[in-house]
Amino acid sequence: MTGITLYDKLWNEHLVCVEPDGSALIYIDRQLVHEVTSPQAFEGLRLAGRKPWRISANLAVVDHNVPTTDRNLGIADAVSRLQVETLDSNCAEFGITEFGIADPRQGIVHVIGPEQGAILPGMTVVCGDSHTSTHGAFGALAFGIGTSEVEHVLATQCLVQRKAKNMLILVDGQTEQEVTAKDIALAIIGKIGTAGGTGYSIEFGGDAVRALSMEGRMTLCNMAIEGGARAGLVGVDETTIDYVRGRAFAPQGVAFEQAAAIWRELRSDADAAFDVVIEIDAATIKPQVTWGTSPEMTLPVNALVPDPEQESDPVKKESMARALLYMDLKPGAHITDIRIDKVFVGSCTNGRIEDLRAAAEIVRGKKKAASVKQVLIVPGSGLVKQQAEEEGLDRIFKDAGFEWRDPGCSMCLAMNADRLEPGERCASTSNRNFEGRQGYGGRTHLVSPAMAAAAAIYGHFVDISALAEKSPRAPTNPASSNGHQNKPKLHRRAKPSVAASAKPKPAAKSSEQTRQKQKSAGNTSASKPQQEKGRKKVETV
Amino acid sequence: MKPFRKIHSRVVPLDRANVDTDAIIPKQFLKSIRRTGFGPYLFDEWRYQDRGEPDMDCSNRPLNQDFVLNQPVYRNAEVLLARENFGCGSSREHAPWALADYGFRAIIAPSFADIFYNNCFKNGVLPIILDSVTVDRLFHECKPGYTLTVDLAEQSIVTHFGETIHFDIDPARKHRLLNGLDDIALTLRHAEAIKAYEAKRVSEAHWLFVDLK
């Protein structure tokens, strides 16, 4: 008998019943709620005279519309303000816990959930936001839903679902030091395409995934949706357990150890059958830059802008030509010659402490290029911001001429005042480079935090691997998977207050040591299921 | 929800792959707290030459005459013909709300993004998946005046030239859409099963039920 995939285990465990027509009712453990996709759901409840099924399953936060500067002045845009106030009043009316704009725990929904321990291994997690896939990093089944389903979960704590197929993406070997989870994610999407994962749940495995911190795994799973998969997954190991330990809403003490024993089983069986297996050699992945208007339009930073004339598929050729026109790029140009106007570091993809540290490492002691109009550094949450300030990262950014902002979704999708103007070109650590995504007529290049920071300093994209050779630098902070050092001080259940002591972060170890440690911590046998039996299709990249 | 049974309509060919939900309805319109009124802003950045804002009167905005939706021959069409991976990107249900509010009832494409596909069914919009060769052929056939008949009960499309094309659809989704059923009421018929599941889970994994206060 073949083994079971992690996705199938999570599915089976949450099955409430199956309808005669074959559709399954799945129980939802946690719903995250934000202001943009919930007002119509609450209104639906009211109109039908329904109450939330289990109030404490929901955690709400305002993030998309909030200003990242001058918060004391309130939200200038009346329409945005109404949406934020509507979430406040809906949560008050229905008794749902909400981190309002003044709460120090406020931040991007996909940052604050894990930070608070509101996301635990083995959970089913939904949110009216496609980047809910982020939480699969915890061995949780997490996916984005529409507003009708937000209402459905509020009213019933369940969803009618169809089982997805199983895809395994194995990233084996070791990445170069400058290659981050963001580069791995973009390289994968470049390979499978933005529809490659449609209909699948993608489990990420292999040495390079095991070596990632929880922040890195969240970045990777966050981008699963950009590869078309509603859910991304990483099996549980000690990195996962260490991250969760001590978080506000996680079990404590003996209960934690009991839970952890169960969580350690949340991995695909060694002989689990996947519908598709894709293998990627980590050593071949280079720092990535997207050149077009879809996340699959990505290339290594040292590559040239592609030529649509070389593409044989007419639909793809047309898409490429349209993208180059929108991006105002010429085929054959060096990506490192692309000059940028603005830089955005933040978002649910790359707005965590490790991301800010990686950017700061590049920036330390340097100045923003004069040609760059604006660099926004937007922490993913109030607690990330506080942690970064305790580490002095804010000083590094401010000294370089960057703007140090308050937490929110900000210029990832420009629903607040942070946006590109028509024609402006941005190096962005966010997740989508669609036309107009960061502002009407704006041009987005997706990159890692280190690549964005380097672009801010040089005014154009640079190959940070080459940079490192020229001037050796300290490796980025390796402590992130070790749990405690990395946690913002306010994650305990205690009523939030202003931070306690500024504890200096531990001295950085060499990245080699870190890799060794993380490798041995991760369960390598589980990380690389021996799915020979179940393989239908194996691609080696 | 409005049931979907059978429609006979003109067809708008939108010949672009990977049409994302930011293109279908740009972010500034997501600030609305209502479910309706998104139709005038459907494909806003492609449809108009200026930058749209919520509650803007669209009747005097400069149109992009090249955009297919602005061509008079396609006015009042209820069927949208699209390319692969239609609706990729965000989970915003505002995308099917905008399409439905504009008047589209069915979308034909070789593939759809999962969340968008699912959202359509909640709003009386029928997403139809046909193989890419057939979709390509429909694009070639689809000249001004071209019409299609879509019959959900029969799972068929009858083309302008009388050809019948069968499409597949999940039987549960078909049943719900044909009858315009309330999904929540259907699920609540299983209230006892949900309670029993919860009771079992509380004993197995009590940490899932922590009070988030």
Side-chain angles (χ1 to χ4, degrees):
Chain A
M1 190 182 147
T2 42
I4 302 174
T5 63
L6 173 56
Y7 171 77
D8 287 3
K9 288 181 187 183
L10 293 168
W11 173 273
N12 294 340
E13 195 153 74
H14 289 86
L15 203 55
V16 174
C17 60
V18 181
E19 296 270 14
D21 62 26
S23 54
L25 202 59
I26 292 293
Y27 189 81
I28 302 302
D29 295 312
R30 176 73 67 238
Q31 173 155 248
L32 300 172
V33 179
H34 65 81
E35 78 274 18
V36 179
T37 56
S38 66
Q40 299 86 351
F42 284 112
E43 183 65 9
L45 281 190
R46 266 192 295 272
L47 290 173
R50 290 174 176 137
K51 296 268 175 251
W53 179 276
R54 185 161 72 81
I55 291 164
S56 69
N58 302 283
L59 178 62
V61 69
V62 290
D63 57 2
H64 284 64
N65 280 281
V66 297
T68 59
T69 183
D70 298 321
R71 286 212 171 150
N72 54 325
L73 303 178
I75 303 175
D77 178 345
V79 194
S80 283
R81 190 168 62 241
L82 176 63
Q83 198 166 54
V84 167
E85 289 170 355
T86 301
L87 182 66
D88 295 344
S89 61
N90 280 328
C91 288
E93 178 185 340
F94 290 103
I96 290 170
T97 298
E98 183 205 8
F99 297 165
I101 193 165
D103 193 307
R105 299 167 297 180
Q106 179 270 338
I108 303 171
V109 66
H110 305 307
V111 175
I112 65 110
E115 190 172 76
Q116 294 298 319
I119 307 301
L120 299 173
M123 276 184 164
T124 41
V125 181
V126 296
C127 175
D129 191 290
S130 61
H131 292 108
T132 308
S133 60
T134 306
H135 311 290
F138 290 84
L141 176 54
F143 51 90
I145 56 177
T147 299
S148 293
E149 291 191 323
V150 172
E151 182 183 341
H152 196 118
V153 174
L154 281 169
T156 70
Q157 211 53 49
C158 291
L159 275 180
V160 180
Q161 287 289 295
R162 254 144 220 85
K163 201 150 169 282
K165 289 179 284 185
N166 283 281
M167 180 185 289
L168 176 66
I169 297 184
L170 282 174
V171 190
D172 268 322
Q174 188 171 311
T175 57
E176 287 174 22
Q177 190 188 310
E178 292 72 25
V179 171
T180 66
K182 180 64 162 289
D183 303 302
I184 298 174
L186 286 171
I188 289 171
I189 296 161
K191 175 66 195 166
I192 69 172
T194 52
T198 303
Y200 290 92
S201 164
I202 299 180
E203 180 172 345
F204 299 99
D207 308 334
V209 174
R210 286 291 133 202
L212 291 174
S213 65
M214 284 312 294
E215 286 85 347
R217 294 179 191 184
M218 284 190 258
T219 301
L220 189 57
C221 289
N222 173 281
M223 297 285 284
I225 185 65
E226 310 312 333
R230 287 179 85 173
L233 279 171
V234 176
V236 172
D237 59 16
E238 293 309 311
T239 304
T240 327
I241 307 270
D242 286 345
Y243 181 96
V244 176
R245 186 179 282 117
R247 303 264 161 195
F249 299 129
Q252 311 288 335
V254 176
F256 181 84
E257 297 310 327
Q258 285 171 346
I262 292 173
W263 295 340
R264 288 188 179 96
E265 302 302 314
L266 293 168
R267 301 177 307 223
S268 289
D269 292 338
D271 58 344
F274 287 84
D275 299 290
V276 174
V277 178
I278 292 173
E279 294 180 359
I280 295 179
D281 178 0
T284 63
I285 301 173
K286 301 285 176 205
Q288 301 282 305
V289 180
T290 66
W291 54 268
T293 54
S294 165
E296 71 187 32
M297 295 172 170
T298 182
L299 282 171
V301 59
N302 53 8
L304 306 179
V305 174
D307 186 352
E309 291 308 315
Q310 307 292 318
E311 174 60 54
S312 54
D313 179 334
V315 175
K316 273 194 184 154
K317 180 187 273 192
E318 169 64 20
S319 297
M320 287 172 74
R322 193 189 295 276
L324 290 181
L325 186 67
Y326 183 86
M327 294 298 288
D328 190 28
L329 292 175
K330 298 271 180 293
H334 287 271
I335 285 179
T336 47
D337 285 343
I338 299 173
R339 302 197 66 83
I340 49 134
D341 303 302
K342 286 184 176 172
V343 175
F344 171 64
V345 176
S347 85
C348 60
T349 311
N350 282 129
R352 298 182 180 80
I353 189 69
E354 179 180 281
D355 301 313
L356 300 187
R357 286 174 185 152
E361 283 297 338
I362 296 276
V363 174
R364 192 187 301 275
K366 301 194 179 74
K367 298 279 183 210
K368 172 179 81 64
S371 59
V372 174
K373 294 180 204 167
Q374 186 180 43
V375 183
L376 293 185
I377 310 287
V378 186
S381 73
L383 300 188
V384 168
K385 183 176 191 195
Q386 189 182 306
Q387 174 78 17
E389 289 176 352
E390 286 174 13
E391 294 179 14
L393 306 185
D394 59 323
R395 289 274 18 126
I396 295 174
F397 294 131
K398 287 183 208 162
D399 289 349
F402 297 1
E403 294 177 36
W404 180 242
R405 295 295 189 95
D406 286 324
C409 300
S410 182
M411 209 161 73
C412 172
L413 84 169
M415 273 190 80
N416 69 352
D418 309 337
R419 62 183 64 155
L420 299 180
E421 294 305 321
E424 283 184 337
R425 189 181 296 284
C426 182
S428 178
T429 68
S430 53
N431 40 59
R432 291 192 175 130
N433 51 357
F434 298 156
E435 289 181 22
R437 169 80 178 182
Q438 293 193 288
Y440 182 76
R443 299 176 176 129
T444 302
H445 296 274
L446 302 176
V447 288
S448 73
M451 286 286 290
I457 300 300
Y458 291 87
H460 56 85
F461 292 111
V462 290
D463 182 351
I464 55 172
S465 327
L467 212 58
E469 280 160 26
K470 270 183 260 164
S471 55
R473 63 187 170 86
T476 50
N477 192 295
S480 43
S481 65
N482 299 345
H484 288 293
Q485 299 93 317
N486 223 17
K487 287 178 194 173
K489 300 293 183 290
L490 284 183
H491 70 270
R492 303 268 162 197
R493 196 173 301 207
K495 198 77 179 165
S497 62
V498 181
S501 65
K503 189 170 143 194
K505 67 173 178 171
K509 296 172 216 159
S510 86
S511 71
E512 188 51 38
Q513 280 173 318
T514 309
R515 285 179 198 284
Q516 292 303 327
K517 180 177 169 58
Q518 287 170 337
K519 258 189 186 174
S520 59
N523 184 327
T524 4
S525 69
S527 73
K528 191 178 179 181
Q530 306 293 305
Q531 62 305 80
E532 304 304 336
K533 284 184 220 164
R535 287 185 186 189
K536 283 193 182 157
K537 175 182 162 193
V538 179
E539 276 186 53
T540 305
V541 180
Chain B
M1 186 182 70
K2 196 174 171 183
F4 185 106
R5 296 196 179 97
K6 187 175 181 177
I7 57 169
H8 175 77
S9 161
R10 291 186 188 182
V11 182
V12 180
L14 182 63
D15 198 357
R16 299 186 189 202
N18 299 310
V19 171
D20 59 73
T21 54
D22 278 80
I24 297 171
I25 185 83
K27 87 280 294 184
Q28 61 269 35
F29 304 106
L30 274 52
K31 296 176 186 180
S32 169
I33 57 171
R34 296 177 295 139
R35 272 178 192 264
T36 54
F38 297 102
Y41 312 110
L42 176 69
F43 297 118
D44 198 86
E45 292 185 5
W46 293 345
R47 205 164 144 197
Y48 303 100
Q49 293 180 343
D50 62 346
R51 175 178 168 161
E53 289 298 337
D55 299 326
M56 204 176 209
D57 175 7
C58 294
S59 56
N60 293 317
R61 292 177 63 192
L63 293 176
N64 172 9
Q65 298 294 351
D66 294 338
F67 187 56
V68 68
L69 226 54
N70 290 329
Q71 294 167 21
V73 289
Y74 297 121
R75 208 159 280 161
N76 301 323
E78 293 181 294
V79 177
L80 183 67
L81 182 62
R83 292 288 186 183
E84 67 244 31
N85 202 26
F86 188 85
C88 61
S90 98
S91 66
R92 61 188 70 166
E93 200 161 314
H94 310 67
W97 291 341
L99 288 158
D101 198 58
Y102 178 86
F104 285 118
R105 301 296 318 281
I107 307 166
I108 300 170
S111 60
F112 293 90
D114 281 340
I115 304 178
F116 175 83
Y117 183 78
N118 199 42
N119 283 340
C120 284
F121 286 98
K122 312 289 180 190
N123 295 284
V125 175
L126 173 62
I128 299 171
I129 299 170
L130 297 179
D131 66 84
S132 55
V133 175
T134 306
V135 169
D136 214 35
R137 190 154 48 78
L138 292 178
F139 267 102
H140 283 108
E141 288 180 6
C142 188
K143 302 286 181 274
Y146 187 84
T147 58
L148 286 177
T149 301
V150 179
D151 188 331
L152 177 55
E154 295 295 323
Q155 296 180 220
S156 73
I157 294 168
V158 179
T159 72
H160 197 69
F161 306 114
E163 181 197 0
T164 300
I165 302 167
H166 175 84
F167 61 88
D168 290 325
I169 184 169
D170 175 85
R173 283 184 162 135
K174 176 181 174 180
H175 176 70
R176 287 170 190 229
L177 192 53
L178 267 179
N179 298 289
L181 298 177
D182 174 354
D183 280 349
I184 294 176
L186 290 176
T187 295
L188 287 174
R189 289 179 303 143
H190 299 292
E192 291 310 313
I194 301 170
K195 285 177 192 163
Y197 175 88
E198 284 182 327
K200 176 173 77 87
R201 290 293 277 171
V202 169
S203 63
E204 288 170 357
H206 57 86
W207 51 85
L208 297 174
F209 295 85
V210 66
D211 192 6
L212 298 181
K213 291 290 176 196

